[in-house]
């Protein structure tokens, strides 16, 4: 907490140092102890170096050519899986530090929120998505500057790491819509009603127009494809964050330069989470892109209050995030020996 109220230059130096240290810890994790990591390591072993690069190489965990090229480049430098994970971890952590220093009022609190909400699933498991989302967050500055082509080029670069972030492209135009508090409340109501009564219609729409997504994330009867529907507590968590941020517009819009971009993006994320709630992975993969704005939004709640109440709010947010972190640990404990040993 002291660091967030310290000199900006000193704060940023410490922030980058902490994030780089986090990237190093990420790189030296046990390859067999986190979901997806073993698959990425296996793909790394199969991938050819740049001198033998084959754009059509198959039998990999992923199809995105940008991440394939990045992996091939790392392997050309050093054919070692730990070095590979270290490079990806450091790149993601560097972008995280850059985004926090640019967008967040209290970056160390934002870092704590990131660790609680996203670190284990992204940096330790879904490393392509984690890297791609950090690139998209970096691109947000070009929406405010109204530099469409720079934004599109960076998002397309990110999509070459993970295809899901293509959903960030229409956000450039969604952000131009005049979205106010009444519209947010109305669309949340519509989304809840639609999710409750229109699951069959949504499934038909996906079946007719997005067959690849349907096959990847919906077909089958596994826990992987079936979601919790409207009983998913994350829906109500996001709704709460969105509404607090929305009703605090007068207090925050002049302090946070990116206020409306953050609010509109988080609104976009929440609507996707509600509408696609019957499908576990599809709702998560689509909503998580702009759910990342939590690391910029939640720390701003401190500004709503004044005096000693700000310190109290800081501590309350910290305690809530510690609770969420432990809940995430419990959800992953069966698949991670590291977590079992720690807990």
């Amino acid at each position: 907490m002291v660091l967030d109220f310290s000199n900006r230059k000193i704060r940023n130096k410490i922030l980058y140092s902490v994030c780089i240290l986090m990237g190093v810890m990420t790189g030296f994790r046990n390859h067999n102890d986190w979901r997806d990591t073993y698959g990425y390591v296996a793909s790394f072993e199969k991938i050819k170096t740049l001198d033998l690069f084959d754009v059509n190489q198959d039998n990999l965990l992923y199809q995105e050519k940008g991440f394939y090229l990045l992996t091939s480049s790392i392997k050309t430098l050093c054919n070692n899986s730990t070095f590979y994970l270290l490079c990806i971890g450091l790149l993601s952590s560097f972008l995280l530090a850059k985004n926090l220093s640019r967008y967040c009022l209290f970056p160390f609190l934002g870092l704590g929120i990131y660790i609680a909400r996203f670190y284990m699933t992204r940096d330790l498991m879904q490393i392509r998505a984690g890297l791609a989302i950090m690139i998209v967050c970096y691109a947000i500055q070009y929406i405010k500057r109204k530099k469409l082509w720079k934004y599109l080029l960076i998002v397309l670069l990110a999509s070459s790491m993970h295809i899901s972030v293509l959903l960030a492209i229409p956000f450039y135009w969604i952000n131009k819509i005049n979205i106010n508090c009444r519209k947010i409340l109305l669309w949340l109501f519509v989304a809840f009603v639609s999710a409750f009564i229109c699951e069959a219609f949504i499934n038909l729409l996906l079946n007719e127009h997005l067959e690849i997504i349907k096959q990847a994330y919906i077909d089958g009867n596994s826990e992987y494809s079936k979601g919790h529907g409207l009983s998913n507590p994350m829906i109500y968590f996001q709704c709460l964050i969105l509404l607090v941020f929305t009703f605090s517009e007068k207090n925050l819009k002049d302090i946070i330069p990116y206020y409306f971009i953050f609010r509109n993006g988080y609104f976009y994320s929440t609507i996707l989470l509600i509408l696609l709630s019957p499908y576990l992975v599809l709702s998560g993969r689509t909503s998580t892109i702009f759910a990342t704005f939590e690391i910029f939004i939640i720390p701003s709640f401190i500004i709503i209050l004044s005096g000693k109440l700000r310190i109290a709010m800081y501590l309350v947010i910290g305690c809530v995030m510690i609770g969420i972190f432990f809940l995430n640990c419990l959800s992953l404990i069966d698949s991670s020996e590291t977590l079992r040993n720690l807990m």
Side-chain angles (χ1 to χ4, degrees), residues 199 202-203 206 217-218 225 227 276-284:
E199 179 180 345
I202 294 172
N203 198 20
L206 291 167
Y217 298 132
I218 297 173
S225 61
L276 299 174
S277 58
Y279 314 110
L280 178 64
V281 178
L282 183 60
S283 62

Side-chain angles (χ1 to χ4, degrees), residues 85-200:
L85 295 176
L86 180 63
C87 287
I88 301 298
L90 287 172
L91 183 55
S92 295
S93 296
F94 173 78
L95 288 170
L96 173 62
K98 197 166 189 65
N99 290 327
L100 286 170
S101 64
R102 180 183 298 276
Y103 302 125
C104 191
L105 292 176
F106 302 102
F108 284 95
L109 181 57
L111 177 60
I113 293 166
Y114 180 85
I115 292 172
R117 281 277 282 124
F118 306 112
Y119 174 69
M120 284 187 290
T121 53
R122 291 186 188 172
D123 294 64
L124 299 179
M125 295 188 291
Q126 300 164 5
I127 59 176
R128 285 185 301 121
L131 177 58
I133 291 169
M134 284 298 103
I135 295 173
V136 169
C137 287
Y138 177 80
I140 291 301
Q141 59 186 294
Y142 296 111
I143 294 180
K144 184 171 177 59
R145 298 180 191 178
K146 298 181 180 180
K147 294 184 177 180
L148 171 61
W149 291 108
K150 282 190 176 181
Y151 177 74
L152 290 180
L153 286 173
I154 295 175
V155 171
L156 288 173
L157 171 64
S159 71
S160 74
M161 305 291 166
H162 201 287
I163 194 69
S164 67
V165 298
L166 285 175
L167 283 168
I169 291 179
F171 178 63
Y172 186 91
W173 292 277
I174 291 172
N175 188 64
K176 293 179 178 291
I177 300 172
N178 181 24
I179 301 173
N180 55 37
C181 182
R182 291 178 63 182
K183 289 180 180 178
I184 287 174
L185 291 172
L186 174 62
W187 280 104
L188 285 176
F189 175 76
V190 170
F192 274 106
V193 172
S194 299
F196 184 72
I197 66 176
C198 297
E199 179 180 345

Side-chain angles (χ1 to χ4, degrees), residues 224-238:
Y224 183 80
S225 61
K226 297 299 181 182
H228 301 293
L230 294 179
S231 64
N232 180 2
M234 194 50 60
I235 291 174
Y236 304 97
F237 175 80
Q238 285 202 200

